[in-house]
Amino acid sequence: MSLTHPNHNSDNMESKTSSCIVLLSLAISLVLFQMASAGDPDILTDFVFPLDVLLVDAFYFTFSGLRGLVGAPPPEKFKGTKASVTEFPALNGQSISYVILQYPEGSVNAVHSHPRSSKLLFLVSGTLEVGFIDTTNKVFNPTLQTGDVFEFPKGLVHYQ
């Protein structure tokens, strides 16, 4: 006949329960960390520059790629000219980009969304119908006039 401590089975059960709680807590923490790190990271410096750039001066922060649009005749078809991190490396880590959209009369930019940022649209001339659909399926679709600014919320399907 063997003698066992009356609490031996209960201690074993508590140990297994504690192990399960620790493992479950670790799994939940990993899932939450993965979700929390899914966005753009914050940079730890004032700005980021490529390794091949030896000198950072005022010209590094100046983009002249849109100068050709000033005073140019309107395009015959829809045209987008952008200044993103590819064209303008100073934007790296800043969570911003810029685009000039030119719409000849009657043209449309296809329905799309921007999952990582909102968008501001400034109408330089003419009128433009814009719109987005929120998560309750409500449609917001004003016709903008010259000088209007419209904000498209982050991640929502929109057109202009």
Side-chain angles (χ1 to χ4, degrees):
M1 175 176 205
S2 72
L3 295 175
T4 59
H5 191 276
N7 290 332
H8 178 69
N9 287 337
S10 135
D11 287 346
N12 226 1
M13 181 76 81
E14 285 178 20
S15 175
K16 287 181 181 179
T17 302
S18 294
S19 294
C20 286
I21 289 172
V22 169
L23 286 174
L24 183 60
S25 296
L26 180 61
I28 290 171
S29 296
L30 288 173
V31 168
L32 291 175
F33 175 76
Q34 185 67 23
M35 287 174 22
S37 66
D40 289 340
D42 288 332
I43 60 174
L44 302 175
T45 59
D46 292 336
F47 49 87
V48 178
F49 56 93
L51 296 176
D52 62 342
V53 173
L54 302 176
L55 175 66
V56 175
D57 58 13
F59 294 106
Y60 178 74
F61 299 98
T62 304
F63 181 68
S64 59
L66 302 176
R67 289 180 182 170
L69 299 175
V70 178
E76 293 180 17
K77 60 182 184 173
F78 171 78
K79 179 181 177 185
T81 307
K82 65 182 180 169
S84 66
V85 71
T86 303
E87 298 81 20
F88 191 11
L91 299 178
N92 189 11
Q94 301 300 321
S95 297
I96 190 170
S97 63
Y98 194 81
V99 66
I100 303 287
L101 302 175
Q102 296 173 290
Y103 297 89
E105 190 172 331
S107 63
V108 176
N109 187 8
V111 173
H112 61 284
S113 69
H114 305 280
R116 294 171 42 181
S117 65
S118 296
K119 175 167 61 176
L120 282 177
L121 183 142
F122 173 69
L123 187 59
V124 174
S125 66
T127 61
L128 181 66
E129 182 183 338
V130 300
F132 68 86
I133 301 169
D134 73 6
T135 57
T136 66
N137 288 326
K138 183 175 179 182
V139 177
F140 299 83
N141 62 335
T143 298
L144 303 180
Q145 305 297 314
T146 299
D148 288 348
V149 174
F150 190 79
E151 187 256 344
F152 298 92
K154 175 181 174 179
L156 296 183
V157 173
H158 63 275
Y159 70 94
Q160 64 272 349

